[in-house]
Amino acid sequence: MTLSLSLPDMRLPFDSVCHQQIDAVEAYGVQWAARFMPEPVLDSLRKARAGRIIAHTSSPDAPLELLQVCTRMASWGFWFDDALSDNVDPASPHQLPAILSVIDLLDGRPGTGAAGENVEAGFRDVMEGMNTVLAADVYARWACEMRLWLCSLALQNQQRATPAIPTPAAYKTMRLYSVCSLPSIVPIDATWPTAPVDWDTYWQPQMTALRLIAADVVAWQNDIFSFFAEQSLPGRFWNLPGVYQALGATQGEAMEQAAHDVRNAVAQFQEREAALTPTLTPAQATHIASCKQWMRGVHDWSYEVAERYVGWSELGS
């Protein structure tokens, strides 16, 4: 495997904060996962440290119960993504029925069992927890974004199964949703002890634009971090540097182009935020804080789980 000298510059000029009960949240995530996951899967989850990503991306003053429920969601999401998306050949007949069965569960139907008994039991528990700690409209928002994420996994599989190299624009459209940022940002809003983010605020065009930029930043940074690790996945598993490289860039040029995209997106987020700042409502300020916490928290978590990202000769913070 060819080593890159170091990660390219991906500036994130947002405050780095973390919940003080990060270790307790992480321990809870592993304990919860052990109820549903077999040991090989559980070992992989320990390396992913789902609880730590929640502690890094939530309000540092969030109640522990809410963080625990979010950790269930993150743990289950890593499990489903690995078992029924990333590690599945694009020709597999199992992925689409599994996705559709989980969507059935979200819609209040019993599901077909195609995702596996334990996977679906775990997701029922996630839904129950979310329904307990989130207000009804926030839960509905979360379920809506979860459906979009699940559908994007089918799009990802189709993109992998297509012989043509995706254009950067086509890849970015798919990746915006497959990164699972949007279902994660919804409960992050609920972790702030400030003005709640109501339905209308969440769907305002200005807030949606900022949220999608935040999702792009996280997606493209993750693509850079995981570039080498994803080369071992079945089929033509694309990431943003891989798309640039397939279109003729050298490996170094591809990495720098992807990092350039990250830096541009961060600058665009800051410009949009600055233009809105004089007129921000408390709910809008809460949502912007969630987006910034998501970007910076995932970045910090990525360095903590550096062993996931094999192939880098240097992985400093």
Side-chain angles (χ1 to χ4, degrees):
M1 179 179 293
T2 303
L3 294 178
S4 179
L5 293 178
S6 62
L7 280 167
D9 176 22
M10 299 180 284
R11 301 166 200 156
L12 278 186
F14 309 122
D15 292 339
S16 177
V17 297
C18 185
H19 200 280
Q20 63 180 356
Q21 293 185 274
I22 184 170
D23 292 331
V25 175
E26 171 62 13
Y28 172 84
V30 175
Q31 182 183 32
W32 177 85
R35 293 168 50 194
F36 302 98
M37 302 180 189
E39 183 55 40
V41 176
L42 193 59
D43 183 60
S44 177
L45 182 72
R46 290 190 187 100
K47 296 175 182 177
R49 301 177 196 172
R52 300 188 77 82
I53 197 173
I54 295 302
H56 276 296
T57 57
S58 301
S59 161
D61 301 315
L64 184 59
E65 180 187 11
L66 181 52
L67 295 188
Q68 289 173 336
V69 171
C70 291
T71 299
R72 292 189 222 172
M73 179 193 73
S75 300
W76 184 90
F78 277 117
W79 184 17
F80 188 87
D81 197 37
D82 286 348
L84 292 161
S85 177
D86 290 359
N87 294 320
V88 175
D89 190 276
S92 169
H94 302 298
Q95 186 192 52
L96 187 57
I99 291 170
L100 294 174
S101 186
V102 176
I103 292 175
D104 279 341
L105 295 176
L106 274 168
D107 292 345
R109 295 184 290 274
T112 64
E117 180 180 353
N118 286 355
V119 171
E120 296 190 12
F123 189 66
R124 289 188 192 95
D125 192 74
V126 170
M127 289 194 300
E128 180 181 348
M130 285 291 181
N131 204 23
T132 299
V133 300
L134 299 179
D137 67 313
V138 181
Y139 177 86
R141 202 180 310 156
W142 170 77
C144 178
E145 299 290 21
M146 281 294 291
R147 293 182 188 95
L148 193 55
W149 173 64
L150 289 161
C151 289
S152 77
L153 298 182
L155 289 177
Q156 177 181 264
N157 201 46
Q158 177 62 30
Q159 198 171 72
R160 292 169 64 191
T162 303
I165 300 168
T167 64
Y171 173 78
K172 287 178 176 179
T173 297
M174 181 279 300
R175 186 64 176 130
L176 173 64
Y177 299 99
S178 70
V179 72
C180 203
S181 283
L182 306 184
S184 301
I185 291 172
V186 172
I188 292 173
D189 279 342
T191 69
W192 293 96
T194 50
V197 179
D198 58 274
W199 185 273
D200 288 344
T201 297
Y202 185 82
W203 294 115
Q204 285 172 349
Q206 305 99 314
M207 296 299 103
T208 297
L210 286 168
R211 187 167 61 251
L212 296 185
I213 294 171
D216 278 338
V217 169
V218 170
W220 303 340
Q221 280 204 342
N222 181 261
D223 279 9
I224 293 170
F225 275 107
S226 59
F227 173 78
F228 296 107
E230 288 178 345
Q231 290 179 356
S232 65
L233 295 176
R236 303 186 72 185
F237 196 94
W238 293 108
N239 51 43
L240 188 56
V243 170
Y244 286 136
Q245 191 173 16
L247 292 172
T250 66
Q251 180 177 287
E253 290 169 344
M255 293 292 182
E256 179 51 37
Q257 180 59 56
H260 176 76
D261 292 346
V262 171
R263 294 192 296 269
N264 277 355
V266 171
Q268 186 180 8
F269 185 98
Q270 291 182 293
E271 290 169 6
R272 286 177 175 266
E273 180 191 8
L276 291 171
T277 296
T279 60
L280 280 181
T281 67
Q284 289 174 329
T286 296
H287 192 59
I288 289 173
S290 295
C291 292
K292 291 160 75 171
Q293 189 77 350
W294 177 244
M295 286 185 282
R296 181 62 199 230
V298 174
H299 180 271
D300 292 346
W301 165 84
S302 296
Y303 284 106
E304 284 196 1
V305 296
E307 65 268 23
R308 287 168 54 91
Y309 303 122
V310 296
W312 293 100
S313 60
E314 180 184 335
L315 195 61
S317 58

